[in-house]
C-alpha cells in the first residue's frame, strides 16, 4: 500500500471545507476543493488548499469523480453533501469516502434515527403519533429538514390543527418541545483504537427564537411573531463538568448500538444535538453522523481536544489524523467506503 504522500484529501467547497482542508494540510496531506464558480474567490485565498476543481453546479460532482479517483483522492463528507448532492448520489459516490455510507439511511429517516437512539438508551423527546394525542407544546419537523428550515412550533392541539393545514411536507414527526439549552456535542469515534473522544461543544444561534427575549412578552403581544429556528451561527460552550460523564456515556452507547444495527457501525465525527433541561437532563433531538458546522469554531483546537492532544486539533484535523494512522498501519479499508 502507498504511503501518505500518495493520497490527497478533498471536499466540496461549503459548510466546513476550510476546517477540513486546513486540518488535512496540517497533517501533511495535499488538498483539493471542489467548488462552484461563485465560491472560487473564497477558496483561492487560502494557501492550505493546493488545488481547486471547478464544477458548474454541485450536482455535476459525478462528472469529476474519475479525475478525483485518478489523483488518489479521499473525500471527506460534510453537511452540504446530502443537502446539495442528495442521499442517493452520496451513496453512489465512487471516490473513496471517509465514513460509513450505511449510516446515511439511518440518519435520514427520523423514525429509524429515533429507534437507534432509543435502543442506545439515549433520552429523546416524547413523540406524538397524531395531533389528537398532543398534550404539551410541540415541534413539528419534516423529514430531511436542515439548518432549522421546515419546522413549526405549536403551543397545543388546537394550534397544531390550524398550522398543519398549511404545512407542505407529507412526512413529518411531532415531538415534544423541550425547554432548555440547545447544546451540540461533537464526538469522534476511532475505529482504529475503538476510543470515543468529545472534541468540542457548541451552542447554536437561531433566528428568531434566540432573540425573542429581546422584546419583553407584553410588548410582543399582538405582533404575531412566530418562533423560527434558522441557524445563523454558533458559539462555543464549555459544559458543566459534572454533565460530561453522561455526555461520554451517551456517545458510547450510540456507537455500541450502531454496531448492532448497522453493518460496520458508526465511525468518525458525529454530533448529538441535545437540549439540557432545568433538571440537568439531556434530551437528544437529533444525531448528525458527520462533521457538523459548529466545529468550525475550533479550527485552532478546543478546551476538550486539548485534553487529548498537545497540538491544535479540530474535528477536521482529527479526521486527517485518523486517515494518516490508517495509511501507516495499512488499515485504510477499515475507515473508507
Ligand atoms: P451552506 O454551506 O451555508 O450552503 O450550508 C450547507 C448545509 O449545511 C445546509 O444544509 C445548511 O443548512 C447547513 N449548515 C450550514 N451552516 C450551518 C451551521 N452553522 N449549523 C448548522 N447547519 C449549518
Ligand atoms: P435540528 O434541525 O433538529 O437541529 O433542530 C433545529 C433547532 O430547532 C434546534 O437547534 C432547536 O433550537 C430546535 N428544536 C428542534 N427540536 C426541538 C425540540 N424537540 N424541542 C425544542 N427545540 C427543538
Amino acid at each position: 500500500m502507498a504511503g501518505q504522500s500518495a493520497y490527497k484529501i478533498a471536499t466540496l467547497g461549503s459548510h466546513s471545507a476550510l476546517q477540513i482542508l486546513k486540518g488535512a494540510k496540517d497533517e501533511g496531506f495535499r488538498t483539493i476543493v471542489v467548488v462552484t464558480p461563485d465560491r472560487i474567490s473564497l477558496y483561492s485565498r487560502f494557501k492550505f488548499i493546493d488545488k481547486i476543481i471547478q464544477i458548474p453546479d454541485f450536482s455535476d460532482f459525478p462528472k469529476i469523480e474519475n479525475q478525483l479517483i485518478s489523483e488518489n483522492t479521499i473525500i471527506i463528507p460534510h453537511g452540504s453533501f446530502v443537502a446539495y448532492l442528495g442521499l442517493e448520489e452520496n451513496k453512489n459516490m465512487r471516490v473513496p469516502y471517509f465514513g460509513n455510507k450505511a449510516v446515511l439511511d439511518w440518519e435520514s429517516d427520523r423514525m429509524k434515527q429515533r429507534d437507534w437512539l432509543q435502543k442506545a438508551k439515549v433520552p429523546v423527546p416524547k413523540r406524538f403519533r397524531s395531533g389528537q394525542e398532543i398534550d404539551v407544546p410541540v415541534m413539528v419537523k419534516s423529514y430531511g429538514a436542515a439548518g432549522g428550515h421546515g419546522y413549526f412550533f405549536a403551543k397545543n392541539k388546537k394550534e397544531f390543527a390550524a398550522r398543519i393545514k398549511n404545512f407542505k411536507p407529507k412526512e413529518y414527526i411531532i415531538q415534544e418541545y423541550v425547554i432548555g439549552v440547545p447544546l451540540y456535542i461533537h464526538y469522534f469515534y476511532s475505529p482504529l483504537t475503538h476510543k470515543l473522544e468529545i472534541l468540542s461543544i457548541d451552542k447554536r444561534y437561531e433566528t428568531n427564537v434566540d432573540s425573542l427575549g429581546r422584546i419583553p412578552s407584553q410588548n410582543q403581544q399582538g405582533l404575531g411573531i412566530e418562533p423560527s429556528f434558522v441557524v445563523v451561527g454558533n458559539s462555543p460552550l464549555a459544559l458543566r463538568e459534572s454533565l460530561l460523564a453522561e455526555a461520554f456515556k451517551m456517545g458510547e452507547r450510540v456507537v455500541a448500538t450502531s454496531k448492532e444495527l448497522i453493518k460496520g457501525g458508526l465511525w468518525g465525527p458525529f454530533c448529538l444535538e441535545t437540549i439540557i433541561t432545568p433538571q440537568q437532563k439531556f434530551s437528544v433531538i437529533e444525531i448528525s453522523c458527520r462533521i457538523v458546522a459548529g466545529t468550525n469554531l475550533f479550527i485552532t483546537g478546543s478546551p476538550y481536544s486539548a485534553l487529548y492532544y498537545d497540538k491544535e486539533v479540530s474535528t477536521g484535523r482529527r479526521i486527517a489524523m485518523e486517515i494518516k494512522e490508517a495509511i501507516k498501519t495499512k488499515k485504510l479499508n477499515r475507515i473508507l467506503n
Side-chain angles (χ1 to χ4, degrees):
M1 207 182 277
Q4 186 183 346
S5 61
Y7 296 94
K8 294 179 185 161
I9 287 187
T11 194
L12 292 184
S14 169
H15 192 268
S16 46
L18 292 171
Q19 180 199 159
I20 291 169
L21 299 175
K22 166 81 168 63
K25 179 54 76 179
D26 287 341
E27 289 301 312
F29 285 97
R30 279 181 294 157
T31 58
I32 299 176
V33 69
V34 179
V35 291
T36 49
D38 53 318
R39 300 186 184 207
I40 289 185
S41 89
L42 171 64
Y43 292 100
S44 55
R45 286 163 207 265
F46 305 103
K47 61 180 191 303
F48 55 83
I49 299 177
D50 295 316
K51 185 169 183 170
I52 298 181
I53 299 179
Q54 189 183 328
I55 47 177
D57 189 89
F58 282 130
S59 61
D60 294 306
F61 182 81
K63 296 183 188 146
I64 53 133
E65 279 201 87
N66 283 343
Q67 181 184 350
L68 291 175
I69 293 166
S70 70
E71 295 204 42
N72 227 0
T73 304
I74 296 169
I75 196 114
I76 315 294
H78 54 55
S80 294
F81 277 57
V82 169
Y84 295 155
L85 298 179
L87 186 63
E88 288 310 312
E89 287 73 6
N90 245 266
K91 288 200 276 187
N92 295 336
M93 201 173 281
R94 290 175 296 117
V95 186
Y97 173 105
F98 180 79
N100 186 359
K101 288 182 187 165
V103 166
L104 290 168
D105 285 328
W106 283 81
E107 185 193 19
S108 60
D109 180 327
R110 288 198 188 273
M111 293 320 298
K112 281 183 127 167
Q113 191 181 115
R114 193 176 163 89
D115 184 32
W116 174 8
L117 294 172
Q118 284 181 316
K119 287 199 166 106
K121 302 210 168 12
V122 165
V124 294
K126 190 167 162 190
R127 174 183 161 236
F128 300 95
R129 282 166 210 277
S130 76
Q132 282 312 312
E133 293 175 9
I134 294 174
D135 58 359
V136 290
V138 293
M139 179 101 179
V140 179
K141 306 177 172 188
S142 65
Y143 283 23
H149 287 277
Y151 293 33
F152 75 82
F153 169 82
K155 202 161 55 203
N156 51 34
K157 201 185 286 188
K158 199 165 143 228
E159 244 183 47
F160 171 85
R163 292 210 174 132
I164 199 70
K165 287 188 204 136
N166 300 321
F167 194 57
K168 294 206 180 70
K170 288 283 156 278
E171 287 188 312
Y172 57 82
I173 185 167
I174 313 169
Q175 226 175 49
E176 164 194 7
Y177 186 86
V178 184
I179 295 173
V181 178
L183 176 103
Y184 289 61
I185 309 168
H186 315 145
Y187 298 89
F188 188 95
Y189 177 68
S190 165
L192 303 178
T193 63
H194 307 290
K195 285 210 177 91
L196 180 76
E197 296 161 352
I198 289 177
L199 288 179
S200 47
I201 299 178
D202 81 293
K203 141 178 164 46
R204 280 187 179 178
Y205 201 79
E206 295 168 345
T207 186
N208 56 15
V209 70
D210 288 322
S211 54
L212 286 180
R214 295 174 54 152
I215 306 174
S217 64
Q218 75 265 25
N219 299 90
Q220 283 186 31
Q221 270 162 29
L223 291 181
I225 301 173
E226 292 295 336
S228 62
F229 302 86
V230 178
V231 60
V232 286
N234 312 73
S235 18
L237 193 140
L239 188 59
R240 272 178 81 146
E241 194 155 310
S242 52
L243 289 171
L244 259 187
E246 182 54 19
F248 273 106
K249 284 186 212 153
M250 283 193 307
E252 276 158 0
R253 293 200 299 268
V254 164
V255 171
T257 309
S258 77
K259 292 180 185 171
E260 292 163 19
L261 296 178
I262 309 166
K263 191 164 183 287
L266 171 67
W267 72 79
F270 69 99
C271 173
L272 289 183
E273 308 190 351
T274 78
I275 297 184
I276 305 186
T277 67
Q279 292 74 35
Q280 293 197 56
K281 295 280 179 247
F282 288 102
S283 187
V284 175
I285 55 175
E286 207 166 300
I287 177 169
S288 269
C289 303
R290 68 180 72 78
I291 184 168
V292 293
T295 59
N296 285 339
L297 287 162
F298 306 103
I299 290 183
T300 55
S302 89
Y304 297 105
S305 70
L307 301 173
Y308 310 103
Y309 302 106
D310 292 326
K311 59 185 183 185
E312 296 175 345
V313 176
S314 64
T315 293
R317 186 166 184 179
R318 184 64 188 82
I319 295 170
M321 288 161 64
E322 192 77 358
I323 295 172
K324 196 167 157 177
E325 184 60 22
I327 293 170
K328 209 167 94 190
T329 53
K330 303 195 173 16
K331 288 187 178 148
L332 211 42
N333 288 342
R334 176 66 192 84
I335 64 167
L336 303 180
N337 236 209

